[in-house]
Amino acid sequence: MNTGSDRGTHGSAADDAATEAAAGPTAEAATEGAEETPHVSKAPAFIKRNRSLHLSWQVGVFIVGLAVIGAGIAMLVLPGPGWVAIFAGLAIWATEFAWAHLVLRWTKRKVTEAAQKALDPKVRRRNIILTSAGLVIAGALIGFYLWKYGLVMPWSLKDQ
């Protein structure tokens, strides 16, 4: 089972493909502007030397990352920073697993693109108009409810 975290010491099929691509004339066009460094495990050297110890380390990292992501998912409906915990769990996984490193990098790129898009004047103007329209509609509905039924508290202070 190759998780891609030991590329620095053992190599992988992806490294072989990258080496072959680098030898070709189109390698520059494929990687223009993107510095690809192979993902290497962040485990201490004495752990990486022993295969079973390294596998145990990876299982531990996976369990800790899974616990943090599980807590983040729970915090999506409970009070707490759910998305922050989910991304923290993904960052924990990215220390050992190449696939998590790629997912984290993709997520960072998409968040950056979304932030840049949100700062676009046309998008901001549209968002402000939609928010204003939503607030006007919500205000009209609340006003209609108060006009029709009045403001009645669910508890009665006179009874106590």
Side-chain angles (χ1 to χ4, degrees):
M1 176 173 97
N2 185 4
T3 60
S5 64
D6 54 353
R7 286 187 196 165
T9 56
H10 299 293
S12 69
D15 287 339
D16 295 340
T19 305
E20 289 175 14
T26 60
E28 255 182 60
T31 60
E32 65 182 26
E35 290 184 21
E36 289 283 329
T37 57
H39 181 74
V40 180
S41 173
K42 304 287 190 265
F46 74 93
I47 290 178
K48 285 194 248 184
R49 279 192 296 259
N50 186 344
R51 178 77 175 141
S52 62
L53 193 58
H54 191 226
L55 187 60
S56 300
W57 176 271
Q58 287 180 332
V59 168
V61 167
F62 183 80
I63 290 172
V64 169
L66 187 64
V68 172
I69 287 176
I73 290 171
M75 283 188 274
L76 289 176
V77 294
L78 298 172
W83 286 110
V84 173
I86 290 172
F87 292 133
L90 192 57
I92 290 170
W93 277 349
T95 62
E96 286 300 313
F97 305 108
W99 59 267
H101 184 72
L102 293 174
V103 170
L104 189 62
R105 190 172 4 148
W106 178 84
T107 304
K108 285 179 182 178
R109 188 174 65 244
K110 290 297 180 183
V111 166
T112 303
E113 288 173 6
Q116 289 174 351
K117 186 177 179 183
L119 294 175
D120 181 30
K122 286 183 179 180
V123 174
R124 288 187 68 201
R125 192 175 317 116
R126 183 198 65 205
N127 289 345
I128 290 171
I129 290 170
L130 289 174
T131 302
S132 301
L135 289 174
V136 166
I137 291 170
L141 290 173
I142 290 171
F144 175 75
Y145 178 85
L146 291 175
W147 173 74
K148 182 82 172 168
Y149 300 106
L151 182 61
V152 178
M153 295 296 170
W155 58 86
S156 177
L157 295 177
K158 295 176 188 174
D159 295 338
Q160 294 180 2

